[in-house]
Amino acid sequence: MAERSDRAPARWRLPLLRWLDGVEAGWGVPLLLVCFVAVWTLYLAIAYAGGGLHPDTLESWTLGRHFAWGYHKHPPLMGWVAAAWTSVFPLSDWSLQLMAMANAGLALFFVDLVARQFVTGHKRILVLLLLMLTPAYQFHAQRFNANAVLLVIWPLATWCFLRAFEARSAFWAAAAGCATALAMVGKYYSVFLIASFAFAALAHPARRAYFTSASPWISIVAGLAVLSPHLYWLATTGASTFTYALNHANGNAISSLGEVKNFLLGLAAAMSVSAVIWVLIAGTRLKQFSADFAAMSPGLRLLFYVAIGTIALPVLTSLAMGTDLPSLWALQGLFLFVVLIVCGTRYPIERFYTVNATIIVAGVALAAVLVAAPIHAIYRNINGYEEGRNFYAQAANEVTRQWRELTGEPLSAISGDDSLAFSMAFYSPDHPYYARPLAYQYEWGLPRKTTLDRGWAALCFRGQDNCGRWMEEVSSRAGNFVRREFTVQASLWGKPGLTRDVVVLMVPPRANGDAAPESAAQDFSASKRSPE
């Protein structure tokens, strides 16, 4: 059937075949990626129409408001990206939703750069289509955080490494070093990618030619040069990001085995739909797998060693150190296996199958936009989110109104429940700064007197006991304060939803206080003084 369809395709297939002809002409892949970004941004806009942005996305934006070479909790790349984006695009839900999906689209573009090292034509498209059937580039990507930025950086670094290993030129060697350094300022989990590059280079038959050239040493020097500002920041601030990372190393042998099992099962589940589609495409030709593997090209063999390293090294580390190992941390590496499977086949894949895969991907996307997104929005309007996303904008506007009514000045500093504080900074017309130094993000410390003197507010949802007790302590220190409660209601397309009570504590600025946002920014960046 596949051969007959390729010889005499049905009329409805002709536009898709012309599109596949455009892959090597240079417009086929960009068209696919633009459609992907547009459709899934529309999905996010509909599915979360009644709710605010995810707290991770709001945290990334909050970090980026104050440029630094590092932050207490994470390396700085996610904050830099959010800051760069919002310097061009407006502060709105659709803008940051577009940012998240543009990040995913760029990630797929770099995956294509890797794939085109080994295949041409519609096989390149097939790699992207199979990845679009994983949750990594839609649902994982929409939570723009330290994990999501790696979707772009890992394939970029891999592409540069492949070129550096093969060409051994100064340019590609430097590019590989810079890209791996960028991966490290995305998230320290990228150390496993860098270690996988080293493992792959050592395991490859051409290792002698590579290591006796200048290429690996140029990469190391370039990488350290790019990473040096962050390394200096670590050295001068106490390396708090490492402390945060090591909080995940608190398990034992039994828990580590459970983490590894769940890690592998999670990755298998993420790849399950793509695997089924590939089995249908390959059919009986799967019997050629061992022969194809044995005949793998040197470039693909290098990629194979990288792929194995990105799975084996985290597993071994978890077993040795008792670390947490969520499969979410490794989703950005799934592209390695898809490229290997598709590009490693020596038999031709009929365009019939690529067209069918395109229809499946398009069908899933349209079903998500037209069916799943409205249902999700309606459900959440009635049942809400654990973090209270339905109420972010309403709470921010009401607190801003009450603050201005009380003080006649813009609100410059905000604290309280993290998700509410991040959302208050984003959704309030005053865009106050998050006042708690991030070194104390998970401690309920008391604000400094200077913070209170400049004017400060905090909010919590009723029923958040830790936050409520903390407000009582702040009240006893503040002296002059106003505590209020109000009810906010979710709304979706004019339909009222569930309600929730918000408690707000407002400390008006003193007459000689300085309420400038720049002063609040100093609170945000502090890490060695009192907790807030």
Side-chain angles (χ1 to χ4, degrees):
M1 179 185 294
E3 294 179 1
R4 185 170 65 251
S5 176
D6 278 1
R7 289 195 306 269
R11 181 175 299 177
W12 66 268
R13 289 178 174 267
L14 294 178
L16 293 173
L17 292 173
R18 284 195 291 271
W19 163 60
L20 294 180
D21 290 337
V23 172
E24 293 304 316
W27 59 268
V29 169
L31 178 61
L32 173 65
L33 298 183
V34 167
C35 292
F36 170 82
V37 171
V39 169
W40 284 100
T41 301
L42 180 60
Y43 166 83
L44 295 179
I46 297 173
Y48 298 95
L53 295 167
H54 192 279
D56 285 0
T57 304
L58 295 173
E59 182 180 28
S60 297
W61 175 79
T62 299
L63 290 173
R65 299 183 75 185
H66 168 71
F67 178 82
W69 292 111
Y71 302 109
H72 168 73
K73 183 177 174 182
H74 291 300
L77 185 59
M78 66 179 189
W80 294 350
V81 172
W85 183 272
T86 53
S87 69
V88 177
F89 292 89
L91 292 180
S92 63
D93 286 3
W94 71 263
S95 172
L96 270 70
Q97 288 163 347
L98 177 61
M99 177 188 73
M101 296 317 303
N103 179 71
L106 185 60
L108 291 169
F109 174 78
F110 286 130
V111 171
D112 180 63
L113 291 182
V114 175
R116 72 172 68 176
Q117 302 297 307
F118 311 109
V119 293
T120 59
H122 68 100
K123 267 193 172 182
R124 288 167 50 191
I125 291 290
L126 192 55
V127 169
L128 301 182
L129 293 173
L130 292 176
L131 286 173
M132 288 177 184
L133 291 172
T134 70
Y137 297 89
Q138 305 91 356
F139 308 108
H140 170 58
Q142 66 98 8
R143 298 175 53 175
F144 187 82
N145 54 22
N147 296 311
V149 295
L150 299 186
L151 288 171
V152 170
I153 304 304
W154 274 39
L156 172 61
T158 301
W159 177 56
C160 293
F161 170 69
L162 292 175
R163 299 299 302 269
F165 189 90
E166 177 185 358
R168 294 190 286 279
S169 68
F171 173 81
W172 286 111
C178 293
T180 51
L182 201 60
M184 285 298 291
V185 296
K187 188 173 182 179
Y188 295 150
Y189 186 88
S190 295
V191 70
F192 294 122
L193 179 67
I194 298 173
S196 296
F197 289 164
F199 165 72
L202 288 168
H204 197 274
R207 56 185 171 271
R208 183 178 180 84
Y210 177 66
F211 282 108
T212 55
S213 73
S215 183
W217 319 113
I218 293 174
S219 294
I220 292 172
V221 170
L224 289 174
V226 172
L227 200 57
S228 59
H230 181 65
L231 294 176
Y232 177 80
W233 179 88
L234 288 172
T236 55
T237 60
S240 56
T241 42
F242 280 116
T243 303
Y244 177 80
L246 289 174
N247 289 335
H248 293 284
N250 53 7
N252 51 45
I254 300 300
S255 65
S256 295
L257 287 173
E259 290 287 338
V260 168
K261 180 194 71 173
N262 292 334
F263 175 76
L264 297 175
L265 289 176
L267 293 179
M271 291 292 293
S272 58
V273 175
S274 298
V276 169
I277 298 299
W278 177 250
V279 169
L280 294 175
I281 291 173
T284 58
R285 294 176 290 190
L286 285 173
K287 294 183 294 185
Q288 301 181 36
F289 176 79
S290 57
D292 288 345
F293 181 81
M296 190 179 290
S297 69
L300 278 175
R301 191 162 296 278
L302 184 67
L303 197 70
F304 169 74
Y305 292 136
V306 174
I308 294 302
T310 61
I311 300 299
L313 294 176
V315 165
L316 293 175
T317 301
S318 180
L319 292 174
M321 298 181 61
T323 60
D324 298 339
L325 195 60
S327 57
L328 186 71
W329 291 355
L331 291 184
Q332 68 277 354
L334 293 181
F335 77 94
L336 293 163
F337 298 93
V338 175
V339 170
L340 283 168
I341 292 297
V342 176
C343 300
T345 56
R346 292 187 297 163
Y347 51 83
I349 302 295
E350 296 81 2
R351 296 199 300 173
F352 169 83
Y353 294 112
T354 306
V355 170
N356 287 354
T358 303
I359 297 301
I360 292 172
V361 169
V364 169
L366 289 176
V369 170
L370 300 177
V371 180
I375 291 175
H376 178 271
I378 293 169
Y379 174 83
R380 290 300 187 181
N381 192 52
I382 298 171
N383 296 279
Y385 301 83
E386 180 180 356
E387 65 270 21
R389 291 170 64 176
N390 304 67
F391 311 106
Y392 286 170
Q394 298 93 315
N397 288 329
E398 179 60 20
V399 171
T400 303
R401 185 192 67 79
Q402 293 196 20
W403 174 269
R404 290 183 178 180
E405 183 181 80
L406 177 67
T407 67
E409 300 178 4
L411 176 61
S412 63
I414 191 69
S415 189
D417 171 71
D418 261 358
S419 63
L420 278 174
F422 291 146
S423 65
M424 183 75 195
F426 184 84
Y427 289 106
S428 168
D430 294 341
H431 300 300
Y433 276 82
Y434 177 81
R436 178 179 297 156
L438 290 180
Y440 304 96
Q441 185 176 357
Y442 301 111
E443 300 176 18
W444 292 102
L446 298 180
R448 296 190 301 272
K449 183 178 183 299
T450 53
T451 302
L452 297 176
D453 287 346
R454 288 192 296 265
W456 172 94
L459 63 166
C460 313
F461 287 117
R462 174 182 284 280
Q464 293 180 317
D465 294 337
N466 287 340
C467 192
R469 287 192 294 269
W470 169 76
M471 276 191 172
E472 294 292 341
E473 294 181 31
V474 175
S475 300
S476 63
R477 177 174 185 173
N480 179 30
F481 68 90
V482 175
R483 179 178 174 133
R484 295 177 179 172
E485 297 184 19
F486 57 88
T487 301
V488 287
Q489 184 169 39
S491 176
L492 175 68
W493 303 317
K495 300 292 185 181
L498 79 165
T499 61
R500 198 162 178 181
D501 295 329
V502 175
V503 181
V504 58
L505 182 68
M506 296 180 285
V507 180
R510 292 182 180 272
N512 60 349
D514 179 10
E518 290 78 11
S519 299
Q522 294 171 8
D523 290 347
F524 172 81
S525 62
S527 61
K528 294 299 181 183
R529 293 178 286 181
S530 59
E532 193 168 324

